[in-house]
Amino acid sequence: MSWQAYVDDHLMLDFDGLHLTAAAIIGHDGTVWAQSATFPAFTPQEISAIVNDFAEPGSLAPTGLFLGGVKYMVIQGEPGAVIRGKKGSSGVTVKKTNQALIIGIYDEPLTPGQCNMIVERLGDYLIDQGL
């Protein structure tokens, strides 16, 4: 399966009539493996800060998580495994696998829990596959 198929068929899937606003699979080095057409243009520094937070959990909390120039307040996550951010009625979930970051961005009416489930389920599957 191509990386784009993982984004199109798993991350951007229709979930009870709803879906993520944007999604991507990005290598730890910032290389885009696949992304939805709606995924924001991000900077290498934004990805570096996210990767750094997985190595040093909590490093994003004081400044926030930036993605495509949008600042998300960092909320509960799983240190070293998942980072979650919130901005008003939207948010982001980032799941770290062995080689990549699985990123999902959502807007209401999709809930944070639904976004977490979509992103983390694919991330767990890829980890199980050694990716």
Side-chain angles (χ1 to χ4, degrees):
M1 180 180 286
S2 76
W3 291 113
Q4 191 61 49
Y6 281 111
V7 170
D8 297 340
D9 300 341
H10 296 281
L11 294 175
M12 296 301 290
L13 79 139
D14 191 274
F15 185 85
D16 292 337
L18 307 170
H19 57 83
L20 293 175
T21 306
I25 301 173
I26 300 172
H28 292 176
D29 63 357
T31 303
V32 176
W33 293 8
Q35 65 183 21
S36 65
T38 54
F39 199 78
F42 58 87
T43 66
Q45 295 82 5
E46 291 172 336
I47 299 303
S48 292
I50 292 169
V51 170
N52 185 59
D53 191 79
F54 284 114
E56 300 174 29
S59 64
L60 284 178
T63 59
L65 182 156
F66 285 85
L67 193 60
V70 175
K71 179 181 179 179
Y72 296 91
M73 179 180 66
V74 177
I75 55 175
Q76 96 287 349
E78 297 170 27
V82 179
I83 300 170
R84 298 182 184 107
K86 184 94 170 113
K87 178 181 172 66
S89 62
S90 65
V92 62
T93 301
V94 183
K95 171 76 175 179
K96 179 181 179 275
T97 72
N98 299 330
Q99 300 175 21
L101 305 174
I102 313 302
I103 304 173
I105 299 171
Y106 70 92
D107 285 298
E108 286 183 348
L110 196 75
T111 67
Q114 290 167 321
C115 177
N116 296 342
M117 186 179 72
I118 293 166
V119 171
E120 293 176 39
R121 185 178 288 165
L122 178 59
D124 290 340
Y125 170 77
L126 293 175
I127 289 169
D128 288 346
Q129 300 305 305
L131 303 168

